[in-house]
């Protein structure tokens, strides 16, 4: 299978769902510690989340990968994970010398403890694999039709079954390959650790560079949840909260950048704004700076200059790498449950090593960022917020409209939206026609930047409200008026003679199609029973993408033949 950027995009998005529970886990774990409020059951509640991260990844990634975020994919992820872990544990072999001098009962206890610790080391990688398997099975078999005598097990009910069978394969791979797998993980961990400040520098640089694609979540998960082992806790983040004094190297360097550097960049942009525009942009820049300082969410700031001044953004990536290396050289070990902001800094201060050194380093970063950004913006007349000419473009006439509906309209209407998703700070969309998207309207609604990773892919940077906006957009799109039916007279006779038989068969018969139309490369259909649609047959007919914007409708990306196919599918 060809591995492409578009294929990896859903993984980066899906990883954010299980990670979203970490702030509450870190908060409970820290508040319950003896050095804070000393409430053991609160600490145990937070620890339970960290102890079961593999299970959470299996569930969260399964739902995130599923094409409609179906809950059956989450259940399938859990089934696959449990089958894989329990099955693999039975194939592990405890070294005989570890129980040589123990009684039978003590040997049994030692054997069970060793197996549990061994599988815990692989819990997160197995969880990620289980989630990917479950999501893929859901997308492939979610509409599977079985013979009538097996119909109960068809469709979504089949997904956990096939995922469980796949879990057996994972169990065999992990069980029989335990020694080389753990040796590979140990080799990776040792290689990263021995890379020292050089490795941390490149990690910091790569982390910021990959923000453009959204794939920084992938390398973060390797660093935070896989690398290293401390009494069964794996990954820099887990080990930090488990009390590993060597943990924190993959987190500490973000604090000077997120708490001090990028807020200073906001100040430089404000000071460089045109006098008559300062009032208009001041609130926005202050809000972004405060969000970065308190919570460590920085993408809204970064997208204000990422494309306007690529060299300035490159400077930012280099300084992030330098911060990672510098904090390591100074022996600073900081950690977070969510991101490198003031709230996590204060909460985990007593667990950190030399945390006070953040203040001089942070102040130095504040000065460097402010000076470089101020000089570059003025010297090269970079059109950062407040320096661009006021757009005479479209005004958003949505005073009485809901936010979701306003975004749908700005994106070309419900008919232009094939897929609506979101991660922490950005909408992740698939659109039928990029030309129908109004960037002016989206900016008026609060968009900070735009990325088009593929011809139909669109990412809109909004900040922490992205997921809420995506939810509102789905609701608005589901209640949008049906797409207009393409009139037959608009279809040239030369292309109207498409054989509609195979299409009608794949769509569940002519009686299942109540309306058909076309717009650009998209085929619009209103269905009596969408469950009767054979997606595999549609794929064989050349359909590139299938979307279900509402319960009774179907949208197919078919290419330039859309109008001709629509003509052949018109109800009699």
């Amino acid at each position: 299978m060809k591995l492409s950027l578009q294929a990896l995009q859903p993984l980066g998005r899906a990883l954010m769902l299980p990670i979203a529970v970490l702030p509450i886990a870190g908060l409970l774990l820290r508040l319950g510690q003896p050095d804070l409020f000393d409430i053991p059951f609160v600490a145990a509640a937070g620890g339970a989340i960290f102890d079961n991260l593999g299970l959470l990844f299996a569930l969260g990634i399964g739902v995130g990968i599923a094409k409609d975020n179906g809950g059956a994919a989450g259940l399938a992820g859990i089934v696959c994970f449990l089958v894989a872990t329990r099955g693999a544990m039975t194939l592990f072999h405890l070294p005989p010398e570890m129980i040589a001098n123990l009684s039978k009962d003590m040997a049994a206890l030692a054997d069970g403890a060793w197996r549990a610790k061994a599988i815990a080391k692989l819990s997160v990688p197995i969880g990620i694999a289980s989630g990917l398997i479950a999501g893929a099975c859901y997308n492939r078999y979610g509409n599977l039709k079985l013979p009538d005598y097996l119909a109960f097990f068809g469709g979504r009910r089949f997904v956990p079954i096939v995922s469980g069978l796949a879990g057996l394969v994972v169990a065999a791979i992990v069980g029989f390959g335990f020694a080389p797998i753990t040796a590979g993980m140990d080799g990776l961990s040792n290689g990263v650790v021995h890379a020292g400040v050089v490795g941390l520098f490149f990690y910091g640089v790569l982390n910021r560079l990959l923000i453009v694609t959204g794939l920084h979540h992938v390398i973060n998960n390797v660093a935070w949840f896989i690398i290293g082992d401390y009494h069964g806790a794996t990954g820099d983040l887990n080990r930090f909260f488990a009390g590993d004094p060597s943990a924190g190297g993959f987190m500490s360097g973000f604090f000077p950048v997120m708490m001090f550097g990028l807020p200073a960049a906001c100040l430089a942009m404000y000071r460089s704004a045109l006098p008559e525009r300062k009032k208009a942009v001041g609130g926005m820049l202050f809000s972004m700076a405060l969000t970065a300082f308190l919570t460590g969410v920085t993408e809204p700031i970064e997208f204000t200059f990422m494309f306007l001044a690529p060299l300035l953004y490159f400077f930012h990536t280099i300084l992030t790498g330098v911060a990672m290396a510098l904090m390591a050289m100074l022996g600073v070990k900081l950690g977070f449950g969510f991101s490198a902001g003031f709230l996590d800094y204060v909460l985990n201060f007593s667990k950190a090593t030399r945390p006070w050194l953040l203040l001089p380093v942070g102040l130095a970063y504040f000065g460097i960022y402010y000076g470089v950004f101020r000089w570059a913006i003025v010297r090269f007349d970079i059109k950062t917020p407040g320096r661009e000419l006021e757009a005479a473009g479209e005004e958003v006439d949505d005073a009485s409209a809901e936010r979701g509906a306003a975004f749908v309209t700005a994106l070309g209407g419900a008919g232009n939206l094939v897929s609506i998703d979101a991660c922490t700070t950005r909408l992740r969309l698939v659109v039928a026609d990029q030309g129908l998207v109004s960037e002016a309207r989206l900016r008026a609604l609060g968009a900070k930047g735009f990325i088009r990773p593929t011809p139909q892919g669109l990412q809109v940077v909004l900040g922490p409200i992205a997921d809420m906006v995506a939810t509102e957009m789905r609701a608005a799109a589901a209640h949008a008026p049906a797409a207009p039916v393409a009139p037959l007279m608009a279809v040239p006779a030369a292309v109207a003679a498409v054989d509609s038989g195979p299409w009608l068969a794949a769509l569940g018969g002519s009686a299942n199609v109540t309306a058909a139309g076309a717009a650009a490369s998209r085929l619009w259909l209103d269905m009596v029973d969408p469950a009767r649609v054979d997606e595999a047959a549609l794929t064989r007919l050349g359909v590139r993408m299938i979307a279900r914007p509402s319960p009774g409708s179907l949208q197919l990306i078919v290419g330039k033949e859309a109008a001709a196919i629509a003509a052949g599918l018109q109800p009699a």
Side-chain angles (χ1 to χ4, degrees):
M1 181 182 295
K2 185 179 179 181
L3 191 63
S4 64
L5 178 62
Q6 186 168 5
L8 289 173
Q9 289 287 332
L11 174 59
R13 179 186 70 245
L15 286 169
M16 292 309 300
L17 186 57
I19 289 174
V21 305
L22 292 183
I24 186 61
L27 183 64
L28 292 174
L29 186 62
R30 285 297 298 130
L31 292 179
Q33 295 296 312
D35 59 325
L36 288 179
F37 294 106
D38 194 16
I39 310 176
F41 82 91
V42 173
I49 297 175
F50 285 104
D51 292 341
N52 293 281
L53 278 177
L55 187 65
L56 294 175
F57 273 98
L59 189 156
I61 291 177
V63 172
I65 292 292
K67 56 188 175 185
D68 59 357
N69 300 129
L75 175 62
I78 294 175
V79 170
C80 184
F81 176 82
L82 294 176
V83 170
T85 52
R86 296 297 179 178
M89 287 174 66
T90 64
L91 298 174
F92 293 166
H93 296 289
L94 176 68
E97 62 271 13
M98 294 185 66
I99 55 174
N101 299 318
L102 299 178
S103 66
K104 183 177 180 181
D105 291 340
M106 291 300 295
L109 289 173
D111 181 70
W114 183 85
R115 291 174 190 270
K117 183 178 179 180
I119 201 65
K121 185 175 182 178
L122 299 174
S123 175
V124 171
I126 293 175
I128 294 174
S130 298
L132 291 172
I133 289 170
C137 289
Y138 182 90
N139 293 338
R140 177 67 180 84
Y141 300 111
N143 294 314
L144 179 69
K145 292 179 176 60
L146 296 175
D148 289 346
Y149 58 90
L150 293 175
F152 177 82
F153 300 103
R156 298 186 180 191
R157 294 189 185 98
F158 185 75
V159 177
I161 297 173
V162 71
S163 297
L165 295 175
L168 285 176
V169 178
V170 176
I173 294 172
V174 173
F176 291 115
F178 177 72
I181 290 173
T182 54
M185 289 181 60
D186 290 340
L188 173 64
S189 300
N190 291 331
V192 172
V193 170
H194 289 129
V197 295
V198 175
L200 289 171
F201 169 80
F202 283 108
Y203 166 73
V205 171
L206 191 60
N207 178 280
R208 294 296 93 184
L209 285 177
L210 286 177
I211 278 184
V212 181
T213 65
L215 298 180
H216 58 301
H217 300 308
V218 177
I219 64 168
N220 285 344
N221 275 264
V222 173
W224 295 346
F225 302 111
I226 295 177
I227 289 177
D229 184 3
Y230 180 76
H231 301 314
T234 60
D236 203 47
L237 190 150
N238 280 336
R239 291 186 292 111
F240 178 85
F241 283 103
D244 185 354
S246 68
F250 288 93
M251 297 181 281
S252 305
F254 290 121
F255 283 86
V257 175
M258 295 181 175
M259 285 179 59
F260 295 91
L262 288 172
C266 286
L267 178 61
M269 286 187 266
Y270 173 75
R271 293 290 305 276
S272 304
L274 301 174
E276 63 274 16
R277 299 293 309 282
K278 283 188 175 181
K279 185 177 180 179
V281 301
M284 178 191 72
L285 291 171
F286 175 78
S287 174
M288 292 193 300
L290 185 63
T291 298
F293 178 77
L294 290 177
T295 69
V297 175
T298 59
E299 286 191 17
I301 300 175
E302 288 161 322
F303 277 90
T304 61
F305 64 90
M306 180 183 293
F307 301 110
L308 287 173
L311 287 179
L312 207 53
Y313 189 78
F314 181 71
F315 159 81
H316 165 57
T317 65
I318 295 298
L319 275 194
T320 302
V322 170
M324 302 295 292
L326 177 61
M327 296 294 269
M329 292 170 63
L330 294 174
V332 180
K333 303 294 183 184
L334 302 172
F336 50 73
F338 176 63
S339 190
F342 178 75
L343 298 178
D344 269 294
Y345 174 70
V346 171
L347 186 64
N348 300 307
F349 188 91
S350 60
K351 289 187 72 70
T353 302
R354 309 183 79 182
W356 57 270
L357 280 176
L358 172 64
L359 299 180
V361 174
L363 291 174
Y365 260 65
F366 187 95
I368 293 171
Y369 267 78
Y370 177 81
V372 171
F373 271 72
R374 181 87 165 102
W375 172 81
I377 291 170
V378 175
R379 174 67 177 80
F380 300 107
D381 192 23
I382 300 172
K383 301 301 183 183
T384 50
R387 291 181 64 83
E388 71 276 22
L389 297 176
E390 287 201 68
E394 306 171 57
E395 295 183 3
V396 180
D397 186 21
D398 288 303
S400 61
E402 295 183 357
R403 180 170 59 178
F407 271 91
V408 169
T409 300
L411 288 160
N416 197 42
L417 294 169
V418 177
S419 173
I420 303 173
D421 277 304
C423 63
T424 306
T425 58
R426 65 183 85 173
L427 298 175
R428 293 171 178 258
L429 311 168
V430 177
V431 297
D433 185 354
Q434 295 275 14
L436 298 179
V437 176
S438 171
E439 291 192 6
R441 292 175 67 88
L442 289 170
R443 289 191 183 279
L445 289 168
K448 310 297 191 303
F450 307 92
I451 305 172
R452 290 176 168 83
T454 64
Q456 291 180 312
L458 175 64
Q459 298 178 10
V460 182
V461 181
L462 294 178
I465 64 170
D467 191 60
M468 292 184 290
V469 172
T471 301
E472 294 167 6
M473 286 175 59
R474 292 189 198 102
H479 294 90
V485 177
L488 286 175
M489 66 185 66
V491 182
V495 298
V498 170
D499 183 6
S500 61
W503 288 91
L504 289 171
L507 293 167
S510 58
N512 198 37
V513 180
T514 60
S521 62
R522 178 183 299 217
L523 185 64
W524 303 82
L525 300 163
D526 288 338
M527 315 294 296
V528 175
D529 182 8
R532 292 165 57 187
V533 174
D534 186 345
E535 293 192 6
L538 289 174
T539 301
R540 290 193 294 271
L541 287 169
V543 174
R544 304 171 191 171
M545 188 175 295
I546 301 172
R548 301 175 184 267
S550 63
S553 65
L554 196 68
Q555 298 177 15
L556 311 177
I557 304 298
V558 297
K560 60 184 180 180
E561 303 89 356
I565 297 170
L569 297 178
Q570 294 291 339

